[in-house]
Amino acid sequence: MSRLQWAGIVNRAAVIVTGYDAVGGCTLRQVYYRLVAEGLVPHTAPTYRRLSARLAQARRDREFPDLIDPLREVHAPTSWPDARAFLREAPDWFALDRTAGQTTAVYAACEKDTLRAQLTRWLQDTGIPVLVVRGFGSQSYAQLVRERAARDPRPAALLYVGDFDASGADIERDWIARTACWASVQRVLLTHDQVREHDLPPAEGKAGDPRWPAFARRHHLDPVRPVQWEVEALDPAELRRLVLAAVDPYIDRTVLAARIAEEERQRARLREFTDQALRSLGPGA
């Protein structure tokens, strides 16, 4: 690919990333799969590495918007400059379980960590927890989720977001089987119907994947040509719409509004308490 072609790809990538601002930011993986879906770059490991290098250079040159990286963060203890700063911020840290009073304990699960930040932000108002399966999740994680669901007397519902491919289907099956705590399961994304509705182009699948032949027969695909569709290839606004539409039937908005109002009432009382504490500290304390 020529330098001029790459310049055009970087410009298009910048437009894609900016489009994610309203839904919580964009990862490198997401912009890559959007470019693959648009037919601008091939779905190959060398292309992904070259795109990463080009976008990193553009960001260093301050010619490209920021990307989010959910796997890289600074793990530092929470701290404040002084007690006064802590007291001022403490009320904003307070929150109630906003799912309390709902008839179903809903969980949203994503196959990959690339969507965690967005799902968490979209579902924050409802209090619905987000699970990150990360492929074939560990038994410890499956046990943690099963025990959490068991402590809740309400039936548990799983809303699942993952790629449409042979491995993705098996990851979902494995996760459901090992957690074994769901009264209902819904694959929100990505489905064969959604692939066709949005005319998403397939990317080359994993050659020799033993799961592919059965998956291909089930969905009437070519058994000798493994392909896959990545959930990141879907427009972020549509992805958000589908997730919120799947959540909506489980949410009693009157109950949720009352819960939020109670949270604000208790937060206001906490703020009154911390304001008194700040006054008792005196200036310069």
Side-chain angles (χ1 to χ4, degrees):
M1 216 175 295
S2 70
R3 180 174 298 181
L4 184 61
Q5 287 173 312
W6 270 114
I9 289 168
V10 170
N11 287 338
R12 175 56 188 155
V15 173
I16 290 171
V17 173
T18 302
Y20 279 76
D21 287 347
V23 295
C26 181
T27 65
L28 173 63
R29 186 179 179 88
Q30 284 172 314
V31 70
Y32 168 68
Y33 280 113
R34 290 288 303 281
L35 292 170
V36 170
E38 293 180 12
L40 295 178
V41 299
H43 182 25
T44 65
T47 301
Y48 182 86
R49 290 192 294 270
R50 282 195 289 271
L51 178 68
S52 176
R54 295 273 179 171
L55 299 191
Q57 184 59 54
R59 295 200 302 279
R60 285 192 291 271
D61 294 339
R62 300 185 178 181
E63 297 175 351
F64 196 86
D66 286 337
L67 294 168
I68 59 175
D69 187 346
L71 298 179
R72 304 289 193 275
E73 57 184 285
V74 178
H75 297 278
T78 303
S79 62
W80 289 263
D82 53 44
R84 298 181 68 86
F86 170 75
L87 287 172
R88 281 192 295 268
E89 292 184 20
D92 296 327
W93 283 65
F94 175 76
L96 295 175
D97 176 8
R98 292 188 177 183
T99 73
Q102 304 293 340
T103 59
T104 304
V106 182
Y107 293 78
C110 49
E111 180 184 320
K112 297 172 294 190
D113 200 54
T114 50
L115 293 174
R116 171 174 54 86
Q118 287 157 344
L119 286 179
T120 301
R121 185 174 285 105
W122 298 342
L123 299 175
Q124 184 175 9
D125 288 346
T126 66
I128 290 175
V130 174
L131 310 175
V132 184
V133 179
R134 288 191 180 94
F136 291 93
S138 71
Q139 185 57 37
S140 297
Y141 189 35
Q143 181 70 20
L144 175 70
V145 171
R146 184 165 61 243
E147 291 173 355
R148 190 183 197 277
R151 290 193 296 270
D152 194 322
R154 300 172 296 176
L158 180 68
L159 304 177
Y160 192 88
V161 176
D163 297 335
F164 182 70
D165 61 10
S167 293
D170 202 43
I171 288 169
E172 179 187 9
R173 176 205 58 76
D174 175 77
W175 176 253
I176 293 168
R178 288 197 291 120
T179 47
C181 59
W182 311 111
S184 64
V185 176
Q186 177 187 349
R187 173 173 269 262
V188 179
L189 292 149
L190 196 59
T191 68
H192 201 190
D193 286 344
Q194 291 164 351
V195 165
R196 290 180 292 190
E197 177 185 353
H198 296 281
D199 196 26
L200 298 179
E204 184 178 350
K206 303 177 181 68
D209 185 347
R211 306 177 185 90
W212 173 255
F215 183 84
R217 287 194 300 272
R218 201 156 58 243
H219 297 286
H220 308 290
L221 301 171
D222 186 347
V224 299
R225 181 176 173 262
V227 291
Q228 61 186 25
W229 288 267
E230 303 279 343
V231 70
E232 289 93 343
L234 193 65
D235 180 87
E238 179 64 4
L239 198 157
R240 180 177 181 272
R241 185 189 72 80
L242 290 168
V243 169
L244 295 182
V247 166
D248 193 61
Y250 294 97
I251 304 299
D252 184 324
R253 295 291 168 179
T254 302
V255 171
L256 177 60
R259 194 67 174 162
I260 293 174
E262 175 62 17
E263 180 181 278
E264 286 300 321
R265 187 185 69 82
Q266 294 193 33
R267 188 174 289 162
R269 291 183 61 189
L270 181 59
R271 190 167 287 113
E272 291 175 3
F273 175 80
T274 56
D275 286 347
Q276 291 175 359
L278 281 168
R279 287 192 293 271
S280 69
L281 285 175

